[in-house]
Amino acid sequence: MAIATDSTQPLTTADGTPLRQSLRRAERLNKLRAFGLVAPLFLFILVFFVFPIAKLASVSVDNSIVPEILPNTVEAIQDWDGTDLPPEPVWEAMAADLVEGKKNRNIAKVGKRLNFEKPGFRRLLIKSARKADKLEAPYKESLIKANKKWADPEFWNVLKRESGSYTFSYILAAVDMTYSDDGSLTMVDDDNAVYLDIFGRTLFISAQVTLTCLLLGFPIAYLLSTLPAKTGNMLMIFVLLPFWISLLVRTTAWIVLLQDQGVINSALIGLGIIDEPLALIRNRVGVVVAMTHILLPFMILPLYSVMKGINPSLMRAAKSMGANPAIAFWRVYTPLTVPGIGAGGLLVFIISIGYYITPALVGGPKDIMASQLIDVQMNQQLNWNMASAIGVVLLAITLVLFAIYNRLVGIDRMKMG
């Protein structure tokens, strides 16, 4: 006899809880556990990657110093149409800000900021601030009498343009662009155009290092992948050995090797191959050689990982079908290594773009890279805004190259290990 059941009765667990509710609760617990596992990594990425990049971007456009030190002028100049000289209220506001700036001793800071846009602005503000207590209405005549540069509308146009809390002047300067007198964008003079040349040089040196690492790393990775496991693992130690030595020590070792009285030149002269020392340091040769040695493992490891997974029977099959070893290697084996080539090339290239220590020690004046330019702006010019702008441009170049790589090769085919 069949037992009748009520199909409308909800299914429950042993403790009487509805099954659907219990499943939802279990699913929430699983999600919380999963989030707990990834939370440390997420926080690490957020604190050490996302936040610094966001801070870098904000500093590159920060212009808060102008409205903070010249608040009255910034407010009054907004109503000026930019033609001729400003009306009297703007001059009065400037006089009040000069008095306050002299009292707080911070007028030089805003002068330094505006001097970046218009040479002579710093001296103009400092000299005028010294006479600020003697200024009286009409303030236009008083300020022009204190310094004739106030009669130049270009100073006021610059002040109006840079009166906001944010500015793109630093980023424009990082790509050798500036504002013209009418406010439109224009390229700087050839004598002052340095940043694009340095970015181009950085990319070219990085490409040289990447290509050299590929030419040297490919046969090494192939050898390691085809040797017996015991021998291959032993040789892999020599590939990883440089990671155990300080970067500074390795770079200094190349200085000893490449200098005029170094080991290489001394050996070549002793063997009678050359009569005079070769120029191997403080030039492009030294930079490429030293960077290649340091970054070579980053090319070998991805290549080795991909090559180790290639089935050897594919080469034997190609040879059995009539292909000679060279054709079989080029048309069968090499295409299978493209993910490793892409991963190693991208890794070496991106690291090379931001390299600092090695080019600074073994390079010459014609081998300055973008990272050295950032160091100059931070430690010598004390211009953190410009340093951040250069960093933002460098980051943008890296992202563009990454997008091109993804378009041509595909990021899903990249294998790091």
Side-chain angles (χ1 to χ4, degrees):
M1 183 177 66
I3 300 175
T5 60
D6 187 0
S7 60
T8 61
Q9 184 72 22
L11 298 176
T12 60
T13 59
D15 59 356
T17 305
L19 182 60
R20 182 177 298 178
Q21 180 180 347
S22 179
L23 290 174
R24 283 199 298 264
R25 183 184 303 167
E27 188 175 340
R28 283 197 301 269
L29 289 175
N30 288 334
K31 289 181 179 180
L32 288 174
R33 291 192 189 99
F35 179 77
L37 291 174
V38 301
L41 177 60
F42 176 76
L43 291 175
F44 179 84
I45 295 175
L46 186 66
V47 174
F48 293 100
F49 287 91
V50 177
F51 177 75
I53 291 175
K55 184 64 176 178
L56 178 77
S58 65
V59 173
S60 67
V61 296
D62 179 62
N63 192 49
S64 56
I65 189 173
V66 176
E68 284 179 4
I69 299 179
L70 302 176
N72 299 308
T73 306
V74 166
E75 182 180 357
I77 206 172
Q78 301 306 316
D79 298 329
W80 178 44
D81 58 5
T83 59
D84 265 339
L85 292 174
E88 178 64 18
V90 179
W91 298 83
E92 182 179 359
M94 174 58 75
D97 287 333
L98 289 174
V99 173
E100 192 67 21
K102 179 182 179 181
K103 177 182 177 182
N104 297 329
R105 298 182 179 180
N106 58 7
I107 201 67
K109 294 181 180 179
V110 70
K112 180 181 178 181
R113 163 68 190 98
L114 294 174
N115 200 76
F116 180 81
E117 306 295 334
K118 173 69 176 174
F121 222 130
R122 183 175 184 274
R123 181 177 298 180
L124 172 62
L125 288 175
I126 291 176
K127 286 188 174 182
S128 300
R130 292 173 182 170
K131 304 176 182 179
D133 295 333
K134 300 179 181 179
L135 297 176
E136 55 186 18
Y139 292 98
K140 178 179 179 180
E141 285 76 5
S142 297
L143 281 168
I144 293 177
K145 184 178 179 181
N147 196 311
K148 294 182 179 180
K149 289 183 179 180
W150 287 115
D152 185 356
E154 189 173 349
F155 285 93
W156 293 100
N157 282 315
V158 168
L159 182 56
K160 178 178 174 61
R161 188 185 71 227
E162 301 300 324
S163 60
S165 298
Y166 299 95
T167 179
F168 290 101
S169 296
Y170 294 111
I171 295 179
L172 291 174
V175 292
D176 289 333
M177 296 185 69
T178 187
Y179 292 99
S180 60
D181 295 339
D182 59 358
S184 60
L185 297 179
T186 182
M187 301 299 295
V188 300
D189 298 335
D190 293 339
D191 296 337
N192 297 321
V194 295
Y195 296 102
L196 288 181
D197 289 342
I198 292 178
F199 282 126
R201 183 187 307 147
T202 300
L203 295 176
F204 185 71
I205 292 176
S206 300
Q208 284 182 302
V209 173
T210 303
L211 181 60
T212 307
C213 285
L214 177 60
L215 294 177
L216 295 176
F218 195 94
I220 296 175
Y222 179 74
L223 177 64
L224 292 173
S225 65
T226 55
L227 287 174
K230 183 177 180 180
T231 307
N233 292 336
M234 181 67 67
L235 294 179
M236 181 61 73
I237 295 177
F238 292 99
V239 175
L240 300 175
L241 189 62
F243 289 117
W244 303 344
I245 304 173
S246 168
L247 173 63
L248 184 60
V249 172
R250 283 180 280 168
T251 304
T252 306
W254 277 111
I255 297 177
V256 176
L257 291 171
L258 299 175
Q259 61 186 342
D260 292 345
Q261 290 78 33
V263 176
I264 296 177
N265 275 315
S266 298
L268 293 176
I269 293 175
L271 294 172
I273 298 177
I274 58 175
D275 297 326
E276 297 180 355
L278 298 176
L280 301 177
I281 199 170
R282 302 288 182 265
N283 53 28
R284 186 67 54 82
V285 175
V287 173
V288 173
V289 169
M291 288 181 63
T292 299
H293 167 251
I294 293 170
L295 296 176
L296 188 58
F298 294 99
M299 178 65 75
I300 294 175
L301 294 176
L303 282 172
Y304 171 78
S305 174
V306 173
M307 290 177 177
K308 198 67 176 176
I310 297 176
N311 193 341
S313 63
L314 295 175
M315 290 287 289
R316 292 194 295 268
K319 293 176 184 178
S320 68
M321 297 179 68
N324 60 52
I327 295 297
F329 184 85
W330 178 251
R331 299 187 63 178
V332 177
Y333 190 86
T334 303
L336 296 175
T337 64
V338 168
I341 294 174
L346 187 66
L347 191 60
V348 171
F349 190 84
I350 289 178
I351 295 176
S352 299
I353 287 178
Y355 238 56
Y356 170 72
I357 294 179
T358 303
L361 292 179
V362 301
K366 295 182 179 180
D367 303 297
I368 295 176
M369 298 179 68
S371 56
Q372 296 168 262
L373 204 60
I374 294 175
D375 176 69
V376 170
Q377 293 293 335
M378 291 179 61
N379 296 321
Q380 297 183 21
Q381 302 296 329
L382 301 179
N383 192 342
W384 284 63
N385 302 85
M386 191 62 201
S388 300
I390 297 172
V392 167
V393 174
L394 201 60
L395 176 62
I397 293 174
T398 304
L399 294 177
V400 169
L401 293 174
F402 187 82
I404 294 174
Y405 171 84
N406 185 39
R407 181 78 173 179
L408 297 178
V409 180
I411 194 64
D412 56 326
R413 298 187 61 195
M414 185 171 65
K415 293 184 179 180
M416 289 294 185

